[in-house]
Amino acid sequence: MTPPISPPPTPMSQADDLAHEKASHRRPAQVSQESPKPPTAPAARRRFLAQRQW
């Protein structure tokens, strides 16, 4: 068996742990069941409708 390339990890300091917690925080997704409102400009409206196959 080959030895590992990197040295064994050292325990994270409290500051590192706190920074990791802050950086990995994610907001929950805001899910809406409302139907999107089509644009008013004619060309944008055509693209909007074509993309959704309405």
Side-chain angles (χ1 to χ4, degrees):
M1 191 169 138
T2 59
I5 295 172
S6 59
T10 57
M12 287 203 301
S13 71
Q14 191 174 8
D16 287 341
D17 204 22
L18 186 62
H20 179 73
E21 273 298 314
K22 263 188 155 175
S24 39
H25 174 71
R26 298 277 186 249
R27 276 191 314 196
Q30 297 292 325
V31 181
S32 167
Q33 294 298 323
E34 296 174 9
S35 186
K37 304 204 177 16
T40 54
R45 186 179 181 86
R46 281 194 298 273
R47 281 193 304 273
F48 178 88
L49 297 175
Q51 286 171 348
R52 287 159 182 79
Q53 297 178 348
W54 282 355

Short mmCIF file of all heavy atoms in Angstrom, two decimals:
data_model
loop_
_atom_site.label_atom_id
_atom_site.label_comp_id
_atom_site.label_asym_id
_atom_site.label_seq_id
_atom_site.Cartn_x
_atom_site.Cartn_y
_atom_site.Cartn_z
N MET A 1 0.84 -1.19 0.00
CA MET A 1 0.00 0.00 0.00
C MET A 1 0.88 1.25 0.00
O MET A 1 1.87 1.31 0.71
CB MET A 1 -0.89 -0.02 1.25
CG MET A 1 -1.95 1.01 1.21
SD MET A 1 -3.10 0.69 2.56
CE MET A 1 -3.34 2.34 3.12
N THR A 2 0.50 2.23 -0.80
CA THR A 2 1.31 3.45 -0.88
C THR A 2 0.97 4.39 0.28
O THR A 2 -0.20 4.48 0.68
CB THR A 2 1.08 4.19 -2.22
OG1 THR A 2 -0.29 4.50 -2.31
CG2 THR A 2 1.50 3.34 -3.39
N PRO A 3 1.95 5.10 0.79
CA PRO A 3 1.67 6.03 1.89
C PRO A 3 0.89 7.24 1.37
O PRO A 3 0.99 7.59 0.19
CB PRO A 3 3.06 6.43 2.39
CG PRO A 3 3.95 6.20 1.23
CD PRO A 3 3.36 5.06 0.45
N PRO A 4 0.10 7.90 2.24
CA PRO A 4 -0.63 9.09 1.79
C PRO A 4 0.32 10.22 1.41
O PRO A 4 1.39 10.36 1.99
CB PRO A 4 -1.48 9.47 3.00
CG PRO A 4 -0.91 8.74 4.15
CD PRO A 4 -0.14 7.57 3.62
N ILE A 5 -0.07 11.01 0.43
CA ILE A 5 0.77 12.10 -0.06
C ILE A 5 0.77 13.25 0.94
O ILE A 5 1.80 13.85 1.21
CB ILE A 5 0.28 12.58 -1.44
CG1 ILE A 5 0.47 11.45 -2.45
CG2 ILE A 5 1.02 13.83 -1.88
CD1 ILE A 5 -0.14 11.72 -3.80
N SER A 6 -0.38 13.57 1.50
CA SER A 6 -0.46 14.70 2.42
C SER A 6 -0.30 14.22 3.87
O SER A 6 -0.63 13.08 4.18
CB SER A 6 -1.78 15.42 2.26
OG SER A 6 -2.83 14.51 2.52
N PRO A 7 0.19 15.08 4.72
CA PRO A 7 0.32 14.69 6.13
C PRO A 7 -1.07 14.57 6.76
O PRO A 7 -2.05 15.11 6.23
CB PRO A 7 1.12 15.84 6.74
CG PRO A 7 0.87 16.99 5.85
CD PRO A 7 0.67 16.42 4.48
N PRO A 8 -1.18 13.88 7.87
CA PRO A 8 -2.49 13.77 8.51
C PRO A 8 -3.02 15.15 8.90
O PRO A 8 -2.23 16.03 9.28
CB PRO A 8 -2.24 12.90 9.73
CG PRO A 8 -0.77 12.85 9.90
CD PRO A 8 -0.14 13.20 8.60
N PRO A 9 -4.31 15.38 8.78
CA PRO A 9 -4.85 16.71 9.08
C PRO A 9 -4.73 17.06 10.57
O PRO A 9 -4.86 16.19 11.42
CB PRO A 9 -6.31 16.62 8.66
CG PRO A 9 -6.63 15.17 8.72
CD PRO A 9 -5.35 14.44 8.41
N THR A 10 -4.48 18.32 10.82
CA THR A 10 -4.43 18.77 12.21
C THR A 10 -5.83 19.26 12.57
O THR A 10 -6.57 19.71 11.69
CB THR A 10 -3.43 19.93 12.39
OG1 THR A 10 -3.79 20.97 11.50
CG2 THR A 10 -2.01 19.48 12.09
N PRO A 11 -6.19 19.17 13.83
CA PRO A 11 -7.53 19.66 14.20
C PRO A 11 -7.67 21.16 13.89
O PRO A 11 -6.71 21.91 14.03
CB PRO A 11 -7.61 19.42 15.71
CG PRO A 11 -6.42 18.61 16.07
CD PRO A 11 -5.46 18.64 14.93
N MET A 12 -8.86 21.57 13.46
CA MET A 12 -9.07 22.98 13.12
C MET A 12 -9.13 23.80 14.41
O MET A 12 -9.67 23.35 15.41
CB MET A 12 -10.38 23.16 12.36
CG MET A 12 -10.33 22.66 10.95
SD MET A 12 -11.55 23.39 9.83
CE MET A 12 -13.09 23.01 10.56
N SER A 13 -8.58 25.01 14.32
CA SER A 13 -8.66 25.91 15.47
C SER A 13 -10.10 26.42 15.58
O SER A 13 -10.90 26.28 14.67
CB SER A 13 -7.70 27.09 15.30
OG SER A 13 -8.18 27.94 14.28
N GLN A 14 -10.40 27.05 16.70
CA GLN A 14 -11.76 27.56 16.90
C GLN A 14 -12.07 28.65 15.87
O GLN A 14 -13.19 28.71 15.35
CB GLN A 14 -11.88 28.12 18.31
CG GLN A 14 -13.31 28.42 18.70
CD GLN A 14 -13.45 28.83 20.15
OE1 GLN A 14 -12.46 29.04 20.83
NE2 GLN A 14 -14.68 28.95 20.60
N ALA A 15 -11.08 29.48 15.53
CA ALA A 15 -11.29 30.53 14.53
C ALA A 15 -11.56 29.91 13.16
O ALA A 15 -12.44 30.37 12.42
CB ALA A 15 -10.08 31.45 14.47
N ASP A 16 -10.80 28.85 12.81
CA ASP A 16 -11.02 28.16 11.54
C ASP A 16 -12.41 27.54 11.49
O ASP A 16 -13.10 27.59 10.47
CB ASP A 16 -9.97 27.07 11.33
CG ASP A 16 -8.60 27.63 10.99
OD1 ASP A 16 -8.53 28.81 10.57
OD2 ASP A 16 -7.61 26.89 11.14
N ASP A 17 -12.79 26.93 12.60
CA ASP A 17 -14.09 26.29 12.68
C ASP A 17 -15.21 27.31 12.50
O ASP A 17 -16.17 27.07 11.76
CB ASP A 17 -14.23 25.59 14.04
CG ASP A 17 -15.23 24.46 14.00
OD1 ASP A 17 -15.50 23.94 12.91
OD2 ASP A 17 -15.73 24.11 15.09
N LEU A 18 -15.09 28.47 13.14
CA LEU A 18 -16.08 29.54 13.02
C LEU A 18 -16.14 30.08 11.59
O LEU A 18 -17.23 30.29 11.03
CB LEU A 18 -15.76 30.67 14.00
CG LEU A 18 -16.77 31.78 14.10
CD1 LEU A 18 -18.11 31.26 14.59
CD2 LEU A 18 -16.27 32.88 15.01
N ALA A 19 -14.97 30.28 10.98
CA ALA A 19 -14.92 30.77 9.59
C ALA A 19 -15.57 29.76 8.65
O ALA A 19 -16.29 30.14 7.72
CB ALA A 19 -13.48 31.02 9.18
N HIS A 20 -15.35 28.48 8.88
CA HIS A 20 -15.94 27.44 8.05
C HIS A 20 -17.46 27.45 8.18
O HIS A 20 -18.18 27.34 7.18
CB HIS A 20 -15.38 26.08 8.45
CG HIS A 20 -15.95 24.94 7.67
ND1 HIS A 20 -15.62 24.70 6.37
CD2 HIS A 20 -16.86 24.01 8.00
CE1 HIS A 20 -16.30 23.64 5.94
NE2 HIS A 20 -17.06 23.21 6.91
N GLU A 21 -17.95 27.60 9.41
CA GLU A 21 -19.40 27.67 9.64
C GLU A 21 -20.02 28.86 8.90
O GLU A 21 -21.05 28.73 8.27
CB GLU A 21 -19.69 27.82 11.14
CG GLU A 21 -19.77 26.52 11.89
CD GLU A 21 -20.89 25.62 11.40
OE1 GLU A 21 -22.03 26.10 11.21
OE2 GLU A 21 -20.62 24.43 11.21
N LYS A 22 -19.37 30.02 9.00
CA LYS A 22 -19.89 31.23 8.34
C LYS A 22 -19.91 31.06 6.83
O LYS A 22 -20.86 31.44 6.17
CB LYS A 22 -19.03 32.44 8.70
CG LYS A 22 -19.56 33.26 9.81
CD LYS A 22 -18.76 34.53 9.95
CE LYS A 22 -19.58 35.60 10.59
NZ LYS A 22 -18.84 36.80 10.86
N ALA A 23 -18.84 30.49 6.28
CA ALA A 23 -18.71 30.37 4.82
C ALA A 23 -19.66 29.33 4.26
O ALA A 23 -20.07 29.42 3.11
CB ALA A 23 -17.28 30.04 4.45
N SER A 24 -20.02 28.32 5.03
CA SER A 24 -20.86 27.26 4.48
C SER A 24 -22.34 27.45 4.77
O SER A 24 -23.14 26.59 4.46
CB SER A 24 -20.38 25.88 4.94
OG SER A 24 -19.98 25.90 6.26
N HIS A 25 -22.72 28.59 5.33
CA HIS A 25 -24.13 28.86 5.58
C HIS A 25 -24.85 29.12 4.26
O HIS A 25 -24.40 29.89 3.43
CB HIS A 25 -24.29 30.06 6.51
CG HIS A 25 -25.72 30.47 6.68
ND1 HIS A 25 -26.62 29.71 7.40
CD2 HIS A 25 -26.42 31.52 6.20
CE1 HIS A 25 -27.80 30.31 7.35
NE2 HIS A 25 -27.70 31.40 6.62
N ARG A 26 -25.98 28.48 4.06
CA ARG A 26 -26.78 28.68 2.85
C ARG A 26 -28.19 29.08 3.24
O ARG A 26 -28.77 28.54 4.18
CB ARG A 26 -26.86 27.38 2.03
CG ARG A 26 -25.52 26.89 1.55
CD ARG A 26 -25.15 27.62 0.27
NE ARG A 26 -23.94 27.08 -0.30
CZ ARG A 26 -22.79 27.72 -0.35
NH1 ARG A 26 -22.68 28.91 0.16
NH2 ARG A 26 -21.74 27.18 -0.89
N ARG A 27 -28.75 30.04 2.49
CA ARG A 27 -30.14 30.42 2.72
C ARG A 27 -31.05 29.36 2.12
O ARG A 27 -30.76 28.83 1.05
CB ARG A 27 -30.45 31.74 2.03
CG ARG A 27 -30.09 32.94 2.84
CD ARG A 27 -30.65 34.18 2.21
NE ARG A 27 -30.39 34.18 0.77
CZ ARG A 27 -30.49 35.24 0.01
NH1 ARG A 27 -30.84 36.38 0.52
NH2 ARG A 27 -30.24 35.18 -1.27
N PRO A 28 -32.18 29.07 2.75
CA PRO A 28 -33.11 28.13 2.13
C PRO A 28 -33.72 28.73 0.87
O PRO A 28 -33.90 29.95 0.78
CB PRO A 28 -34.18 27.91 3.21
CG PRO A 28 -34.03 29.04 4.15
CD PRO A 28 -32.61 29.53 4.04
N ALA A 29 -34.02 27.91 -0.09
CA ALA A 29 -34.59 28.38 -1.36
C ALA A 29 -35.99 28.95 -1.12
O ALA A 29 -36.77 28.40 -0.34
CB ALA A 29 -34.66 27.24 -2.36
N GLN A 30 -36.29 30.03 -1.80
CA GLN A 30 -37.63 30.62 -1.73
C GLN A 30 -38.43 30.06 -2.90
O GLN A 30 -38.25 30.47 -4.03
CB GLN A 30 -37.54 32.15 -1.83
CG GLN A 30 -36.79 32.80 -0.70
CD GLN A 30 -37.52 32.69 0.63
OE1 GLN A 30 -38.74 32.74 0.66
NE2 GLN A 30 -36.77 32.53 1.69
N VAL A 31 -39.31 29.11 -2.63
CA VAL A 31 -40.09 28.47 -3.68
C VAL A 31 -41.46 29.13 -3.77
O VAL A 31 -42.14 29.31 -2.78
CB VAL A 31 -40.25 26.96 -3.38
CG1 VAL A 31 -41.05 26.28 -4.48
CG2 VAL A 31 -38.90 26.32 -3.24
N SER A 32 -41.83 29.51 -4.98
CA SER A 32 -43.11 30.16 -5.20
C SER A 32 -43.94 29.32 -6.16
O SER A 32 -43.44 28.80 -7.15
CB SER A 32 -42.88 31.55 -5.80
OG SER A 32 -44.08 32.06 -6.29
N GLN A 33 -45.20 29.18 -5.85
CA GLN A 33 -46.10 28.41 -6.72
C GLN A 33 -46.85 29.31 -7.71
O GLN A 33 -47.66 28.85 -8.48
CB GLN A 33 -47.12 27.63 -5.87
CG GLN A 33 -46.49 26.55 -5.01
CD GLN A 33 -45.80 25.47 -5.83
OE1 GLN A 33 -46.27 25.09 -6.89
NE2 GLN A 33 -44.68 25.00 -5.34
N GLU A 34 -46.55 30.61 -7.65
CA GLU A 34 -47.22 31.55 -8.55
C GLU A 34 -46.73 31.37 -9.98
O GLU A 34 -45.58 31.04 -10.22
CB GLU A 34 -46.94 32.98 -8.13
CG GLU A 34 -47.48 33.34 -6.76
CD GLU A 34 -47.03 34.72 -6.33
OE1 GLU A 34 -46.45 35.45 -7.16
OE2 GLU A 34 -47.26 35.06 -5.17
N SER A 35 -47.60 31.62 -10.91
CA SER A 35 -47.22 31.57 -12.31
C SER A 35 -46.45 32.84 -12.65
O SER A 35 -46.86 33.93 -12.25
CB SER A 35 -48.47 31.46 -13.17
OG SER A 35 -48.13 31.27 -14.51
N PRO A 36 -45.33 32.76 -13.37
CA PRO A 36 -44.58 33.97 -13.70
C PRO A 36 -45.36 34.87 -14.65
O PRO A 36 -46.16 34.39 -15.46
CB PRO A 36 -43.31 33.44 -14.37
CG PRO A 36 -43.65 32.08 -14.83
CD PRO A 36 -44.70 31.56 -13.90
N LYS A 37 -45.13 36.16 -14.52
CA LYS A 37 -45.85 37.12 -15.36
C LYS A 37 -45.06 37.37 -16.65
O LYS A 37 -43.88 37.71 -16.58
CB LYS A 37 -46.03 38.42 -14.60
CG LYS A 37 -46.75 38.18 -13.27
CD LYS A 37 -47.45 39.36 -12.75
CE LYS A 37 -48.23 39.11 -11.49
NZ LYS A 37 -47.96 37.92 -10.74
N PRO A 38 -45.68 37.19 -17.81
CA PRO A 38 -44.96 37.41 -19.06
C PRO A 38 -44.59 38.88 -19.25
O PRO A 38 -45.31 39.77 -18.79
CB PRO A 38 -45.95 36.98 -20.14
CG PRO A 38 -47.15 36.50 -19.47
CD PRO A 38 -47.04 36.72 -18.01
N PRO A 39 -43.46 39.14 -19.91
CA PRO A 39 -43.05 40.53 -20.18
C PRO A 39 -44.04 41.23 -21.10
O PRO A 39 -44.81 40.58 -21.81
CB PRO A 39 -41.69 40.39 -20.87
CG PRO A 39 -41.30 38.97 -20.77
CD PRO A 39 -42.51 38.17 -20.40
N THR A 40 -44.00 42.55 -21.12
CA THR A 40 -44.92 43.30 -21.97
C THR A 40 -44.35 43.60 -23.34
O THR A 40 -45.10 43.78 -24.30
CB THR A 40 -45.33 44.62 -21.29
OG1 THR A 40 -44.14 45.32 -20.95
CG2 THR A 40 -46.14 44.37 -20.04
N ALA A 41 -43.02 43.64 -23.48
CA ALA A 41 -42.40 43.89 -24.79
C ALA A 41 -42.70 42.70 -25.70
O ALA A 41 -42.53 41.55 -25.30
CB ALA A 41 -40.90 44.09 -24.64
N PRO A 42 -43.14 42.95 -26.94
CA PRO A 42 -43.56 41.85 -27.83
C PRO A 42 -42.50 40.78 -28.07
O PRO A 42 -42.80 39.58 -27.97
CB PRO A 42 -43.92 42.56 -29.14
CG PRO A 42 -44.20 43.97 -28.76
CD PRO A 42 -43.36 44.25 -27.56
N ALA A 43 -41.26 41.17 -28.35
CA ALA A 43 -40.23 40.17 -28.64
C ALA A 43 -39.91 39.35 -27.39
O ALA A 43 -39.77 38.12 -27.46
CB ALA A 43 -38.96 40.85 -29.16
N ALA A 44 -39.79 40.02 -26.26
CA ALA A 44 -39.50 39.32 -25.00
C ALA A 44 -40.66 38.38 -24.64
O ALA A 44 -40.46 37.28 -24.15
CB ALA A 44 -39.27 40.32 -23.88
N ARG A 45 -41.87 38.84 -24.92
CA ARG A 45 -43.06 38.02 -24.64
C ARG A 45 -43.06 36.75 -25.50
O ARG A 45 -43.35 35.66 -25.01
CB ARG A 45 -44.31 38.85 -24.89
CG ARG A 45 -45.59 38.17 -24.49
CD ARG A 45 -46.79 39.09 -24.76
NE ARG A 45 -48.00 38.47 -24.36
CZ ARG A 45 -48.50 38.51 -23.12
NH1 ARG A 45 -47.86 39.18 -22.19
NH2 ARG A 45 -49.62 37.90 -22.84
N ARG A 46 -42.72 36.91 -26.79
CA ARG A 46 -42.66 35.73 -27.68
C ARG A 46 -41.62 34.73 -27.18
O ARG A 46 -41.87 33.52 -27.16
CB ARG A 46 -42.32 36.16 -29.11
CG ARG A 46 -43.51 36.72 -29.86
CD ARG A 46 -43.24 36.82 -31.36
NE ARG A 46 -42.14 37.72 -31.66
CZ ARG A 46 -42.26 39.03 -31.83
NH1 ARG A 46 -43.46 39.60 -31.74
NH2 ARG A 46 -41.22 39.78 -32.10
N ARG A 47 -40.42 35.23 -26.79
CA ARG A 47 -39.38 34.33 -26.28
C ARG A 47 -39.85 33.63 -24.99
O ARG A 47 -39.65 32.43 -24.82
CB ARG A 47 -38.09 35.11 -25.97
CG ARG A 47 -37.26 35.42 -27.19
CD ARG A 47 -35.88 35.90 -26.81
NE ARG A 47 -35.89 37.05 -25.93
CZ ARG A 47 -35.95 38.33 -26.33
NH1 ARG A 47 -35.99 38.61 -27.62
NH2 ARG A 47 -35.96 39.31 -25.47
N PHE A 48 -40.47 34.40 -24.11
CA PHE A 48 -40.97 33.86 -22.83
C PHE A 48 -41.95 32.72 -23.09
O PHE A 48 -41.85 31.65 -22.49
CB PHE A 48 -41.64 35.01 -22.06
CG PHE A 48 -42.25 34.63 -20.76
CD1 PHE A 48 -41.50 34.64 -19.60
CD2 PHE A 48 -43.59 34.29 -20.67
CE1 PHE A 48 -42.07 34.32 -18.37
CE2 PHE A 48 -44.17 33.96 -19.46
CZ PHE A 48 -43.41 33.98 -18.30
N LEU A 49 -42.89 32.95 -23.99
CA LEU A 49 -43.90 31.94 -24.30
C LEU A 49 -43.29 30.73 -25.00
O LEU A 49 -43.65 29.58 -24.73
CB LEU A 49 -45.03 32.54 -25.13
CG LEU A 49 -45.84 33.65 -24.45
CD1 LEU A 49 -46.85 34.26 -25.40
CD2 LEU A 49 -46.52 33.11 -23.20
N ALA A 50 -42.33 30.98 -25.90
CA ALA A 50 -41.69 29.88 -26.63
C ALA A 50 -40.88 28.99 -25.69
O ALA A 50 -40.88 27.77 -25.82
CB ALA A 50 -40.80 30.43 -27.74
N GLN A 51 -40.19 29.61 -24.73
CA GLN A 51 -39.36 28.83 -23.80
C GLN A 51 -40.25 27.90 -22.96
O GLN A 51 -39.84 26.80 -22.60
CB GLN A 51 -38.60 29.75 -22.86
CG GLN A 51 -37.44 30.44 -23.52
CD GLN A 51 -36.84 31.50 -22.61
OE1 GLN A 51 -37.40 31.88 -21.59
NE2 GLN A 51 -35.68 32.00 -23.01
N ARG A 52 -41.44 28.35 -22.63
CA ARG A 52 -42.33 27.55 -21.76
C ARG A 52 -43.29 26.69 -22.56
O ARG A 52 -44.07 25.94 -21.98
CB ARG A 52 -43.09 28.48 -20.82
CG ARG A 52 -42.17 29.02 -19.76
CD ARG A 52 -42.69 30.28 -19.14
NE ARG A 52 -41.77 30.81 -18.16
CZ ARG A 52 -40.68 31.50 -18.45
NH1 ARG A 52 -40.36 31.78 -19.68
NH2 ARG A 52 -39.89 31.92 -17.50
N GLN A 53 -43.26 26.82 -23.86
CA GLN A 53 -44.15 26.08 -24.77
C GLN A 53 -45.61 26.27 -24.39
O GLN A 53 -46.40 25.35 -24.34
CB GLN A 53 -43.79 24.60 -24.79
CG GLN A 53 -42.39 24.37 -25.32
CD GLN A 53 -41.99 22.92 -25.30
OE1 GLN A 53 -42.66 22.08 -24.70
NE2 GLN A 53 -40.91 22.61 -25.95
N TRP A 54 -45.97 27.55 -24.08
CA TRP A 54 -47.35 27.89 -23.75
C TRP A 54 -48.12 28.18 -24.99
O TRP A 54 -47.76 28.73 -25.92
CB TRP A 54 -47.39 29.10 -22.83
CG TRP A 54 -47.05 28.78 -21.40
CD1 TRP A 54 -46.82 27.55 -20.85
CD2 TRP A 54 -46.87 29.71 -20.32
NE1 TRP A 54 -46.53 27.65 -19.54
CE2 TRP A 54 -46.53 28.97 -19.18
CE3 TRP A 54 -46.95 31.08 -20.23
CZ2 TRP A 54 -46.31 29.54 -17.95
CZ3 TRP A 54 -46.70 31.65 -19.01
CH2 TRP A 54 -46.39 30.89 -17.87
#
